[in-house]
């Protein structure tokens, strides 16, 4: 379930930004957009840290496996192995740093 949250929380942030935005970009709207983007990336970072803490490095199998069959015309399969956990963590660490530097 945590991997699904890692995918859905940025989509929720995008939906929040896109529904509440007006087409005139005043300083208040820009600040609101940056605040929403930073808060969703920090929530994503916290979830990925929880996944990293719970991850069992002694096993060489996929962990946090989620399978959803017959969603539309495709199957949905999520899982983390020992190599991809570092990339997920790296991505969620770099995203708030990039947003803060902007």
């Amino acid at each position: 379930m945590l991997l699904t949250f890692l995918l859905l929380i940025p989509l929720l942030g995008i939906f929040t930004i896109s529904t509440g935005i007006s087409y005139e970009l005043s300083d208040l709207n820009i600040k609101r957009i940056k605040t929403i983007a930073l808060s969703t990336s920090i929530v994503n970072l916290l979830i990925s840290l929880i996944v990293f803490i719970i991850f069992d490095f002694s096993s060489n199998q996929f962990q946090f496996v989620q399978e959803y069959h017959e969603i539309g015309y495709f199957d949905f399969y999520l899982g983390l192995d020992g190599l991809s956990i570092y990339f997920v963590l790296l991505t969620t660490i770099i995203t708030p740093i990039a947003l803060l530097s902007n």
Side-chain angles (χ1 to χ4, degrees), residues 41 44-45 48 84-98:
S41 67
N44 231 11
L45 174 63
S48 70
S84 63
I85 185 85
Y86 294 115
F87 290 117
V88 169
L89 191 62
L90 179 68
T91 303
T92 57
I93 287 173
I94 288 176
T95 304
I97 292 171

Side-chain angles (χ1 to χ4, degrees), residues 28-46:
L28 182 64
N29 282 340
I30 292 172
K31 189 170 187 165
R32 183 176 165 270
I33 290 169
K34 287 181 180 182
T35 304
I36 292 170
L38 184 64
S39 63
T40 55
S41 67
I42 289 174
V43 168
N44 231 11
L45 174 63
L46 293 175

Side-chain angles (χ1 to χ4, degrees), residues 4-100:
T4 306
F5 286 151
L6 281 175
L7 291 175
L8 292 180
I9 287 175
L11 292 176
L12 181 67
I14 291 169
F15 179 74
T16 305
I17 289 172
S18 65
T19 57
I21 191 172
S22 65
Y23 290 104
E24 53 189 58
L25 290 178
S26 64
D27 290 336
L28 182 64
N29 282 340
I30 292 172
K31 189 170 187 165
R32 183 176 165 270
I33 290 169
K34 287 181 180 182
T35 304
I36 292 170
L38 184 64
S39 63
T40 55
S41 67
I42 289 174
V43 168
N44 231 11
L45 174 63
L46 293 175
I47 291 174
S48 70
L49 286 174
I50 291 170
V51 168
F52 185 74
I53 290 170
I54 297 173
F55 193 81
D56 181 20
F57 289 98
S58 64
S59 174
N60 61 355
Q61 301 293 322
F62 276 97
Q63 297 178 28
F64 304 105
V65 174
Q66 297 174 348
E67 296 180 40
Y68 300 102
H69 298 287
E70 297 178 5
I71 298 177
Y73 294 104
F74 60 91
D75 296 334
F76 190 65
Y77 184 83
L78 290 175
L80 283 176
D81 61 345
L83 185 63
S84 63
I85 185 85
Y86 294 115
F87 290 117
V88 169
L89 191 62
L90 179 68
T91 303
T92 57
I93 287 173
I94 288 176
T95 304
I97 292 171
L99 288 171
L100 281 173

